[in-house]
Amino acid sequence: MATEQPESPQQQETPKKKNFFTRFLDFVEWMGNLLPHPVTLFAIFALGVILISGLADWLGWNAVDPRPVGAPGRAPDGIIEPVSLLNGEGLRRIVANLVSNFTSFAPLGVVLVALLGVGVSERSGLISACIRGLVLKAASFKPKSTGKGFMALIKKPINFILTPKNLVTIAICFAAVISNTASEMGYVVLVPLAAVIFHSMGRHPLAGLACAFACVSGGYSANILIGTIDPLLAGLTQEAANIIDPEYMVHAAVNYYFMFISTFLITIVGTFVTLRIVEPKLGVYNPKEASEDLSDQSMMSPLTPLERKGLRITGIAVLIILGLLALTIVPENGVLRNPETGEILNSPFLRGIVTFIFIFFLIPGFVYGRVTGSMRDDKGIIDGMANAMSTLGLYIVIVFFAAQFVAYFGWSNLGQIFAVKGAEFLTEIGLTGPAVFIGFIAVSAMVNLMLGSASAQWAVTAPIFVPMLMLIGYSPEVIQAAYRIGDSVTNIITPMMSYFGLILAFAAKYKKDIGIGTIISMMLPYSIFFYIGWMILFYLWVFVLEMPVGPEAPTYYLMNQ
């Protein structure tokens, strides 16, 4: 009997040598997996603040308070000294304020209120219908004839842009950006829908998936609407700003102008990367790579007549709400203007922006549900609100420990001391101009690779960076806008992002042997181009055009204001 010969070295499969970038991504993934759960992380941070405060008090750390005499929160003798929490008085303070730290934590209430309204719109199907209607309308668009003469010269480039292929890509990018108002809907509905649309048009489905994922998650800080993340981050920014200025207020719309213009930047850049880089790289799709039958196109079903009727009537309801709101802020004596100055700035309207997020999702959501039959009475509203609250269990647990960490950090004066020392260091090396934001945005992007939650990351870094950059003259609103760029651009390339596993599962439907490395390499061009484009926009908008990042949002902070 012939014996089986061993394979020659040439026959044996040799493992592919990993390049530097692949090894770097493996290292990031390994480091990220070493991090504990965010709840555990904040508990460790809170304990660390207690221990460090005792050490700082024992070593006699201090810093000269740069705030002018008489400024709110200034140390009485002009010297900021640490307050130990590692003694009897500190223990009594921790025990007595455990509950109030949690219940008074600024981001908690605003997020809960905003999500009550968003939950109604999600439950009624309004958000899903809006996204499907926008994307599917673009898919069915056909350019008109170019005409003759001068009109032909104008219409040819326009019709080139508005070909179904290009227009669908634009529509998906734009819908993805605005869908992050209710982030789960963007991931769960639009990302798989985009893959189906691309596949139905004979394009590579993974290109559609990448396009939608990039703009939902990578464009997380761009929108034409105020979403639930805005009051959350504003609350954390205010908590951090209060370390330097106890009376400083940060409302949810402070980055709205910059977010609005960023929507179109992300749409344009996302479209360009999809059409010019990702789709050509993926090439022609081979259906044999799929892990299941792709003949089911149920997600491509157009809006029903009842759904279209619901959207029309909902649109009328929105116009009525806008008209009533205009009566409160447009007239000089509008009841939601500042009662003392009559201005919209620093008015009940801006301070109560979360109220209007609640109203603008609640009422249209119920109107749509009532027309379509998905929400017939108050029980449907209550179910929608309850369902939204049921998704917040983990968030509330995280907030409890994050609130303790933020409170301890503020009590200990460590934040003020670190901020003053950091500001002095930046001044000594001459890095106090706009270039300081290059490093800050880069650090935020790197931290986001290992700590994917925007709120968790900002809760940790805001108490350090916000006071530090305030002391060299920049406002909390601008600091928050810069942070949001760094936080967004690496969302799509970090396995630590909470929806990364879901995206991987969607992608596996079209490529059965797909891995994390394939997803990251596919998404990396978006991350790079978003970073470059957003950085350029930030500097042009803030420092060249000198435009505010939002209403009542100054660029600079003056210590004596």
Side-chain angles (χ1 to χ4, degrees):
M1 179 182 293
T3 59
E4 184 177 349
Q5 298 296 322
E7 291 182 337
S8 65
Q10 290 78 13
Q11 293 175 312
Q12 294 177 357
E13 183 178 353
T14 58
K16 295 182 180 179
K17 186 177 180 180
K18 294 183 178 181
N19 57 33
F20 170 78
F21 186 68
T22 302
R23 292 196 301 271
F24 169 72
L25 293 177
D26 290 342
F27 174 74
V28 169
E29 183 179 359
W30 176 74
M31 286 293 294
N33 289 334
L34 293 179
L35 289 175
H37 192 281
V39 172
T40 307
L41 200 63
F42 278 118
I44 293 172
F45 287 157
L47 178 60
V49 169
I50 295 173
L51 297 176
I52 294 174
S53 69
L55 177 64
D57 180 58
W58 181 64
L59 294 176
W61 294 358
N62 61 69
V64 177
D65 197 329
R67 289 170 289 195
V69 177
R74 185 179 188 272
D77 57 358
I79 301 297
I80 304 173
E81 297 180 342
V83 176
S84 175
L85 302 178
L86 201 61
N87 53 30
E89 184 177 351
L91 178 60
R92 288 190 292 271
R93 192 173 188 181
I94 291 172
V95 171
N97 292 279
L98 188 75
V99 175
S100 61
N101 289 342
F102 175 54
T103 57
S104 62
F105 194 54
L108 178 62
V110 293
V111 170
L112 295 180
V113 171
L115 273 179
L116 287 173
V118 172
V120 175
S121 285
E122 286 185 347
R123 184 62 177 259
S124 69
L126 173 60
I127 295 177
S128 175
C130 288
I131 293 174
R132 285 170 49 223
L134 175 63
V135 174
L136 295 176
K137 185 70 174 178
S140 62
F141 177 81
K142 294 182 179 180
K144 297 180 180 180
S145 60
T146 57
K148 299 180 180 180
F150 178 73
M151 293 303 297
L153 293 176
I154 298 176
K155 289 185 178 180
K156 281 182 179 179
I158 294 177
N159 286 346
F160 172 76
I161 295 173
L162 299 183
T163 59
K165 177 181 178 180
N166 294 343
L167 191 59
V168 164
T169 309
I170 294 170
I172 288 175
C173 287
F174 182 75
V177 173
I178 63 175
S179 75
N180 65 42
T181 304
S183 57
E184 289 186 4
M185 189 59 62
Y187 292 115
V188 176
V189 174
L190 187 59
V191 172
L193 176 62
V196 171
I197 291 172
F198 268 50
H199 183 246
S200 69
M201 297 177 68
R203 304 168 68 181
H204 203 298
L206 291 185
L209 180 144
C211 172
F213 178 38
C215 293
V216 172
S217 197
Y220 202 60
S221 293
N223 215 309
I224 60 174
L225 302 171
I226 301 295
T228 54
I229 190 65
D230 297 285
L232 171 61
L233 295 182
L236 294 170
T237 303
Q238 179 177 311
E239 296 273 355
N242 291 159
I243 294 175
I244 295 297
D245 188 344
E247 297 182 358
Y248 204 95
M249 300 291 292
V250 180
H251 61 78
V254 292
N255 292 153
Y256 179 69
Y257 298 158
F258 188 69
M259 285 173 49
F260 184 90
I261 195 68
S262 295
T263 302
F264 303 99
L265 171 75
I266 296 302
T267 300
I268 294 170
V269 174
T271 300
F272 171 80
V273 173
T274 301
L275 295 175
R276 297 297 184 183
I277 300 176
V278 173
E279 198 166 9
K281 181 179 181 297
L282 289 171
V284 179
Y285 179 61
N286 181 6
K288 294 181 180 179
E289 297 179 347
S291 62
E292 58 183 78
D293 183 13
L294 300 179
S295 60
D296 180 16
Q297 298 295 326
S298 59
M299 294 186 68
M300 282 290 290
S301 59
L303 296 176
T304 65
L306 185 59
E307 287 176 322
R308 289 196 294 270
K309 178 183 177 182
L311 289 176
R312 287 195 300 270
I313 296 177
T314 301
I316 296 173
V318 170
L319 291 176
I320 293 173
I321 296 172
L322 287 173
L324 294 175
L325 180 60
L327 293 176
T328 66
I329 57 176
V330 173
E332 293 184 0
N333 60 345
V335 295
L336 292 182
R337 284 176 173 261
N338 188 309
E340 297 178 358
T341 64
E343 297 178 344
I344 297 178
L345 296 179
N346 194 28
S347 65
F349 168 70
L350 289 180
R351 291 196 299 270
I353 197 71
V354 176
T355 304
F356 300 107
I357 296 175
F358 172 74
I359 293 172
F360 271 90
F361 280 99
L362 172 65
I363 297 178
F366 176 69
V367 170
Y368 179 84
R370 182 74 176 177
V371 173
T372 59
S374 61
M375 190 171 288
R376 298 184 179 278
D377 50 30
D378 60 327
K379 185 178 182 300
I381 296 177
I382 296 169
D383 288 343
M385 291 181 175
N387 184 67
M389 292 298 102
S390 68
T391 64
L392 290 178
L394 178 59
Y395 169 74
I396 292 174
V397 176
I398 293 174
V399 163
F400 174 79
F401 288 95
Q404 308 308 322
F405 160 70
V406 171
Y408 300 167
F409 200 71
W411 295 346
S412 67
N413 283 343
L414 292 176
Q416 297 187 48
I417 294 173
F418 292 160
V420 171
K421 295 299 183 182
E424 289 175 351
F425 172 74
L426 293 175
T427 302
E428 289 174 1
I429 64 175
L431 192 59
T432 58
V436 71
F437 285 100
I438 296 177
F440 173 55
I441 293 173
V443 168
S444 299
M446 291 298 294
V447 172
N448 190 55
L449 287 172
M450 300 183 186
L451 190 60
S453 169
S455 57
Q457 181 186 345
W458 195 226
V460 173
T461 57
I464 298 172
F465 286 109
V466 171
M468 182 188 303
L469 296 178
M470 284 176 69
L471 288 175
I472 61 174
Y474 296 102
S475 72
E477 293 86 351
V478 167
I479 299 167
Q480 177 181 289
Y483 159 74
R484 297 182 72 169
I485 295 174
D487 171 67
S488 296
V489 295
T490 50
N491 274 340
I492 49 182
I493 60 172
T494 173
M496 299 302 105
M497 205 274 291
S498 56
Y499 287 97
F500 194 91
L502 180 65
I503 302 305
L504 188 62
F506 288 148
K509 175 181 177 180
Y510 300 96
K511 188 175 177 63
K512 54 190 173 185
D513 58 346
I514 197 168
I516 291 177
T518 304
I519 294 291
I520 293 177
S521 64
M522 185 170 63
M523 303 310 302
L524 187 59
Y526 292 101
S527 187
I528 293 172
F529 278 82
F530 283 172
Y531 182 88
I532 295 172
W534 231 338
M535 185 82 77
I536 293 172
L537 176 64
F538 178 77
Y539 275 88
L540 287 175
W541 186 265
V542 177
F543 299 111
V544 177
L545 300 176
E546 298 183 345
M547 300 289 287
V549 292
E552 199 182 349
T555 299
Y556 301 100
Y557 173 75
L558 302 177
M559 293 298 297
N560 59 352
Q561 63 181 6

